[in-house]
Structure formats: C-alpha cells, structure tokens
C-alpha cells in the first residue's frame, strides 16, 4: 500500500469555475485523496469498467434500484461544477475540486443538491443517481481526475480492476479508521497480536506472513482521522536494529516489515503521546 495515502493533501488547485478547468503550470500535483465509494456507508455497488469508455478510466457504478439513491462526495472539497447537458453526454452532473489538481465527477444524476463554490465534506450528498444524458439505463458515471485527465480509480486505497465488474461495499463516512491492518501490510499477512493504545487513540498491530516468514507492524489511528498528526510503528528482530516509521500521518504508520523465522521480535507504536512497546516475543 502506498505511503502517500496517509499524508494530508496540502496543495490547492487553481480552478476556473466557469469552465471547470485546472490552469496548467499553476499547481504541483499532490498525493491523491483517499477516495471512497460515492454512496452511503454499507451500500454495495458494482464498479464496471470497460474498453472504449469515454473518457478512459471512468467507472460506471451499477446496482438494481439505483435510481434515486443518494450520491455522496468521495472526498472533501469544493463544488466546482453543477451542470445539465440535457439528454446528451453527462446529463446532470457535479464536479468536486479536492485540491492539488485532483477532482471527481459524478454524472447521469437524476437530481443535484449542491451549488458551485459550496464546501463539501467526505460523504456529503451531491445528488441522486439516475439516467440523465446519453445513457441506456440508470447508473452513476464516476471519474477521479488529475489535472483534468481521468486516472485509474482507487476506492479506499483499493485499485478498481480494469476491465471487469467488481463489487465494492462503501466505507464512506462509516466512522472509525477506513483502513484495516491486513490492508496496510498487504496480501498474505494475518494479525497475530494487537494492543489498544491509551485513551482510545489507536491500536498497534503485529502481523505475520507464513509463506514469506515476514513480520509486519502497523499502528492505526482512532483519533484525528483524516488529519495529519503524530503516529509511529516499529519492529525489531532480536539481534538486529529496530526499524521505525514515524511522522504526521492521516490514518496509520507503517507498514514496517522484517523477515524473522524462528526469531523473537519486539513491536509496537504510538499515537501522539500514547505509546506501546512489547517485550521480545512470538519466537516460533
């Protein structure tokens, strides 16, 4: 998983509201926001991608009975377009500017519920899904754009497969950290130990991959989510130097990975001033 997803997006894009265009050369692209599924928490939709989609890398969200379902912001930002193309193209659509050159577009809406210049938070309703514009059936057309060009979409840090139909369940504004320890450490890792940090500030995790004999440490925040604040994770194999990942991150620290077959490890982490450090353990 990319470290960049943990950092707050700091740069702001210069946008021409009337045209919805980013001015070339005025901004430096920053890390993408942690875009979420643009439907309410718990809703499962099918992300359909296909060759020849216009523009390339767009996603069509499909679901039985989708007409009239609330469409919500995939990340916080400012509404930069609210338009109606009638029975052609996008039909009714909304664009949100997230700063750093990043925007999202939501098209074929049956209704829009925001206005240009309005600040929207993650999960804020933008409108309702429908079948306006040049479509044969109801769905939500969705784009993640960088400097005006549609990128291959990621949802909650997971790359949308191209070209396929893949189900995603929304974690948008569900509360709590949108990441899981297994997601941070990657495929093949399972949690073998964890420790809640004082004050409910977060949890430190130790994971293990039995195929590669690798350990992984990560610390997930439970406070100041989405805002960069101090967090760390460390892993130390007995007889070797400790490795620590620390900084101001938005959701987690790590992953810190080390191979340690049949060797004791010490692990832990911190959120703010709340710290956990294990003894040497898990020696098998």
């Amino acid at each position: 998983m990319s470290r960049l997803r943990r950092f707050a997006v700091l740069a702001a894009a210069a946008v021409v509201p009337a045209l919805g265009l980013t001015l070339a050369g005025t901004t430096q692209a920053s890390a993408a926001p942690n875009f979420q599924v643009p439907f309410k928490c718990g809703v499962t939709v099918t992300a359909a991608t296909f060759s020849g989609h216009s523009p390339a890398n767009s996603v069509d969200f499909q679901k039985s009975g989708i007409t009239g379902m609330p469409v919500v912001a995939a990340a916080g930002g400012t509404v930069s377009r609210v338009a109606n193309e009638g029975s052609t193209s996008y039909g009714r659509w909304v664009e949100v500017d997230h700063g750093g050159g990043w925007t999202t577009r939501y098209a074929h809406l049956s209704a829009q519920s925001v206005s240009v210049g309005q600040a929207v938070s993650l999960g804020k309703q933008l409108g309702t899904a429908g079948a306006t514009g040049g479509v044969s059936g109801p769905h939500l057309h969705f784009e993640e754009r960088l400097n005006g060009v549609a990128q291959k979409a990621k949802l909650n840090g997971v790359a949308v497969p191209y070209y396929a139909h893949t189900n995603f369940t929304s974690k948008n504004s569900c509360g709590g950290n949108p990441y899981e320890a297994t997601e941070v450490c990657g495929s093949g890792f399972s949690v073998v130990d964890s420790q809640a940090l004082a004050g409910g500030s977060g949890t430190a995790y130790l994971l293990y991959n039995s195929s590669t004999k690798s350990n992984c440490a990560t610390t997930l925040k439970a406070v100041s989510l989405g805002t960069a604040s101090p967090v760390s994770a460390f892993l130390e194999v007995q007889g070797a130097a400790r490795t620590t990942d620390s900084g101001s991150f938005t959701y987690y620290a790590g992953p810190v990975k080390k191979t340690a077959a049949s060797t004791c490890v010490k692990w832990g982490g911190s959120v703010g001033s709340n710290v956990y450090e294990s003894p040497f353990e898990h020696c098998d």
Side-chain angles (χ1 to χ4, degrees):
M1 170 161 301
S2 170
R3 288 168 49 92
L4 293 176
R5 293 188 207 125
R6 297 174 289 145
F7 289 91
V9 176
L10 300 177
V15 175
V16 182
L19 297 176
L21 299 176
T22 302
L23 296 178
T26 60
T27 62
Q28 182 177 359
S30 62
N34 182 32
F35 291 123
Q36 300 292 306
V37 175
F39 291 90
K40 288 187 173 182
C41 175
V43 172
T44 299
V45 287
T46 300
T49 56
F50 51 90
S51 178
H53 206 167
S54 180
N57 300 327
S58 304
V59 178
D60 281 353
F61 287 109
Q62 303 171 345
K63 182 178 178 66
S64 177
I66 197 172
T67 300
M69 287 182 57
V71 172
V72 303
T78 302
V79 177
S80 49
R81 287 292 300 269
V82 177
N84 185 357
E85 312 293 342
S87 60
T88 63
S89 186
Y90 286 161
R92 293 183 179 272
W93 63 284
V94 170
E95 179 184 75
V96 177
D97 176 14
H98 306 285
W102 287 96
T103 59
T104 48
R105 288 187 174 186
Y106 313 77
H108 309 313
L109 302 173
S110 57
Q112 298 137 301
S113 53
V114 290
S115 57
V116 171
Q118 180 178 340
V120 294
S121 58
L122 170 68
K124 170 68 176 178
Q125 184 169 337
L126 306 175
T128 53
T132 60
V135 298
S136 58
H139 66 274
L140 175 68
H141 175 98
F142 175 74
E143 301 170 27
E144 296 175 4
R145 290 184 162 227
L146 177 59
N147 296 329
V149 179
Q151 307 295 302
K152 287 191 173 181
K154 291 184 179 180
L155 300 170
N156 194 32
V158 178
V160 175
Y162 289 77
Y163 298 100
H165 288 63
T166 309
N167 287 343
F168 283 84
T169 298
S170 176
K171 296 183 180 180
N172 195 321
S173 300
C174 291
N177 196 312
Y179 292 98
E180 298 177 359
T182 50
E183 183 181 357
V184 174
C185 288
S187 177
F189 282 93
S190 300
V191 175
V192 295
D193 209 342
S194 64
Q195 176 65 47
L197 301 177
S201 57
T203 304
Y205 291 90
L206 177 68
L207 297 85
Y208 187 68
N209 186 321
S210 59
S211 297
T212 61
K213 311 301 181 185
S214 294
N215 294 268
C216 178
T218 182
T219 301
L220 272 61
K221 294 167 53 177
V223 295
S224 301
L225 295 172
T227 300
S229 63
V231 58
S232 71
F234 79 86
L235 184 59
E236 180 180 345
V237 178
Q238 194 164 27
R242 176 178 298 189
T243 300
T244 302
D245 180 38
S246 64
S248 290
F249 304 134
T250 53
Y251 292 102
Y252 61 85
V256 181
K257 298 180 181 179
K258 285 183 174 290
T259 301
S262 302
T263 308
C264 303
V265 297
K266 184 181 288 188
W267 60 280
S270 65
V271 175
S273 61
N274 301 309
V275 181
Y276 172 73
E277 180 172 322
S278 79
F280 280 111
E281 58 186 3
H282 300 290
C283 304
D284 296 334

